Amino acid sequence: MTDLTGKIVLGSNQYGKAENRVVRIYRDSPRHEIHDINVSSALRGDFSPAHLVGDQSNVLPTDTQKQTAYAYAKTKGLLHLESYGLDLARHFVDDVEPVDGARIELEEYAWARAVIDGVEHDHTWTRKGEEIRTSAVTVEGKGDAQQTWVISGFKEMVILKSTGSEFHGFLEDDLTVLEPTTDRVMATSLTAQWRYTTTDVEWDAVYAGVKAAMIERFANLQSLALQQTLYAMGEAVLEKYPFIAEITMSAPNKHHFVYDLGRFGIENNLEVFNADDRPYGLIQATVEREDAPDAGSAWRTYSVVG
Ligand SMILES: O=c1[nH]c(=O)c2[nH]c(=O)[nH]c2[nH]1
């Protein structure tokens, strides 16, 4: 092995406050509204003095980033993840001199109004067991050169169909034991993220529309594999919204194995399953437009694997 003798330098870096749990209540009328989110900020720029010599003069503390997240929930409002994320990202880049890039990652936890004697309550909710809505906003550069990317999405959208799914005709080798099937349960806990080509979006309406298009395609396609279903779901979204450039999806195949009741002389006609939680097939795909504008920093996260 050859020893490496090159100079040691600072590589890519960013810093911020992760996972601020911000709950914003709108209480201007007796019927309150709630937005319950998790927001992480990360600032980018030349922060080498802080890393190399401990000079903090360009470092806006992560504590200040946290205070900004809370303050902006009041002063700018927190009605949509995306607009709030844009407010924060633009502030850090436009108003904090050493910052030339900001990434804001957000999740929202949905609450359902409590219904008491058939009437929706004004200020009591129960947490919805629904998917978690997500967004990632990146702003880079100052002034006219500024570029902005918005990704929206969800995670943990659990969806299941009890028929309309097949898997057969697959490649077999000496270790293949899987039986082909023309009728099986298909279930997944879907993560999806889609990239907008504009910030002029009705965030909530498009979110609902994307989700509806994906669910419709999952339900109505006679599936030959989860891969085919994922592609079709992505295609449905791009067909519906010309201002979405690409959608990337990750789908654990939540296997439902027909339970062997024959041992007890009991017939099981695809009625009783063992829902196994692991291992799971993990099917991942991006559906994109050939003419999609460059993704730039839209997907740039700072990931520490572990
Ligand atoms: O939809 C599926 N895709 C696969 O690639 C696969 N592999 C497997 O064992 N079951 C399934 N199901």
Side-chain angles (χ1 to χ4, degrees), residues 27-270:
R27 46 188 308 147
D28 315 307
S29 79
R31 188 177 168 89
H32 293 184
E33 301 289 337
I34 186 168
H35 289 275
D36 177 1
I37 73 157
N38 192 359
V39 52
S40 300
S41 60
L43 305 186
R44 299 165 180 169
D46 178 9
F47 296 110
S48 45
H51 291 86
L52 302 185
V53 295
D55 175 350
Q56 318 304 336
S57 52
N58 277 344
V59 173
L60 185 75
T62 68
D63 187 70
T64 307
Q65 297 175 44
K66 167 180 135 183
Q67 310 307 341
T68 309
Y70 284 90
Y72 271 37
K74 174 69 196 286
T75 58
K76 301 279 183 177
L78 204 181
L79 284 171
H80 319 281
L81 286 184
E82 293 85 356
S83 51
Y84 171 74
L86 282 164
D87 284 336
L88 283 173
R90 285 176 175 150
H91 160 66
F92 289 127
V93 176
D94 292 344
D95 304 338
V96 185
E97 204 277 321
V99 174
D100 55 37
R103 183 172 180 90
I104 311 295
E105 295 188 353
L106 311 109
E107 297 183 348
E108 179 158 13
Y109 312 111
W111 291 85
R113 246 175 230 291
V115 177
I116 296 163
D117 294 333
V119 180
E120 286 189 346
H121 200 268
D122 278 345
H123 57 259
T124 302
W125 297 265
T126 56
R127 210 14 215 271
K128 281 194 203 173
E130 276 188 0
E131 80 283 355
I132 296 167
R133 186 168 162 175
T134 64
S135 178
V137 175
T138 309
V139 171
E140 269 180 12
K142 313 251 187 200
D144 290 345
Q146 189 163 87
Q147 286 185 288
T148 303
W149 295 274
V150 179
I151 290 169
S152 294
F154 53 70
K155 61 183 196 182
E156 296 173 26
M157 207 268 276
V158 182
I159 184 167
L160 176 151
K161 66 196 292 189
S162 54
T163 190
S165 167
E166 312 178 19
F167 191 65
H168 46 81
F170 42 80
L171 187 64
E172 295 189 35
D173 69 10
D174 294 347
L175 297 178
T176 301
V177 293
L178 185 72
E179 293 289 335
T181 176
T182 55
D183 194 357
R184 64 174 184 172
V185 169
M186 189 160 76
T188 188
S189 173
L190 187 65
T191 299
Q193 289 182 293
W194 54 92
R195 173 165 65 95
Y196 291 107
T197 55
T198 170
T199 57
D200 185 15
V201 176
E202 287 184 45
W203 305 113
D204 293 348
V206 175
Y207 178 84
V210 167
K211 188 177 151 192
M214 295 180 83
I215 293 172
E216 184 279 326
R217 205 57 72 93
F218 180 93
N220 289 337
L221 180 75
Q222 178 68 26
S223 174
L224 297 176
L226 188 47
Q227 286 91 330
Q228 183 200 23
T229 294
L230 268 198
Y231 181 79
M233 291 167 90
E235 185 184 47
V237 171
L238 298 198
E239 279 169 1
K240 187 165 178 178
Y241 293 111
F243 50 84
I244 293 179
E246 58 178 320
I247 177 166
T248 185
M249 293 158 289
S250 181
N253 192 354
K254 293 167 79 75
H255 301 300
H256 285 62
F257 297 114
V258 181
Y259 202 77
D260 180 10
L261 296 178
R263 292 172 289 180
F264 315 120
I266 301 171
E267 191 184 40
N268 184 6
N269 186 22
L270 300 180

